[in-house]
Amino acid sequence: QVQLVESGGGLVQAGGSLRLSCAFSGRAFSGYGMGWFRQAPGKEREFVAAISRSGDSVYYADSLKGRVTISRDNAKNTVYLQMNSLKPEDTAVYYCAGAFLYDGRRSVQGYDYWGQGTQVTVSS
């Protein structure tokens, strides 16, 4: 059974940074391509970033490229999302997701497992 638990969200001032973590529990973390999504009130869940099973490839939403960095540590069963230069429009619940045996999926439907989300609020 796979469980994903996000952490690291909180309140941050515009221009600040946060690093989100996603802890994976279960078998074969390295078998999952991992992704981050976000969902603001009244909006669809939006792709943020993804990383391949090995960590060798990363994928970013065009709108966020340059401000976010995804990484993973397969020895720690953890994936990270570093977010810099945060803007109020980045305010959302951020979700971690896993896709078994697939890399770089950008759609919600492409992922098998989801965390509960962590709230990121960026104040102006």
Side-chain angles (χ1 to χ4, degrees):
Q1 185 177 15
V2 172
Q3 186 177 22
L4 304 175
V5 180
E6 302 94 336
S7 62
L11 177 64
V12 64
Q13 192 174 14
S17 299
L18 283 174
R19 189 176 78 155
L20 308 183
S21 297
C22 173
F24 177 104
S25 62
R27 298 181 183 273
F29 173 65
S30 62
Y32 291 81
M34 301 296 295
W36 286 96
F37 290 75
R38 67 185 185 182
Q39 189 165 24
K43 288 194 168 185
E44 296 287 322
R45 194 165 295 188
E46 175 188 28
F47 173 75
V48 174
I51 188 165
S52 64
R53 288 162 286 174
S54 67
D56 290 340
S57 299
V58 294
Y59 315 82
Y60 298 107
D62 289 340
S63 61
L64 291 166
K65 191 176 297 183
R67 295 199 295 120
V68 301
T69 303
I70 189 170
S71 61
R72 70 189 294 162
D73 187 339
N74 283 355
K76 295 182 178 180
N77 285 10
T78 303
V79 62
Y80 305 95
L81 183 71
Q82 177 70 42
M83 301 191 293
N84 302 319
S85 302
L86 285 163
K87 306 172 182 179
E89 51 262 46
D90 295 319
T91 295
V93 177
Y94 283 72
Y95 296 90
C96 177
F100 186 56
L101 301 182
Y102 285 92
D103 300 325
R105 286 181 161 178
R106 295 172 179 262
S107 66
V108 169
Q109 293 77 15
Y111 288 84
D112 304 303
Y113 299 97
W114 293 84
Q116 83 292 338
T118 185
Q119 177 72 48
V120 171
T121 303
V122 184
S123 65
S124 59

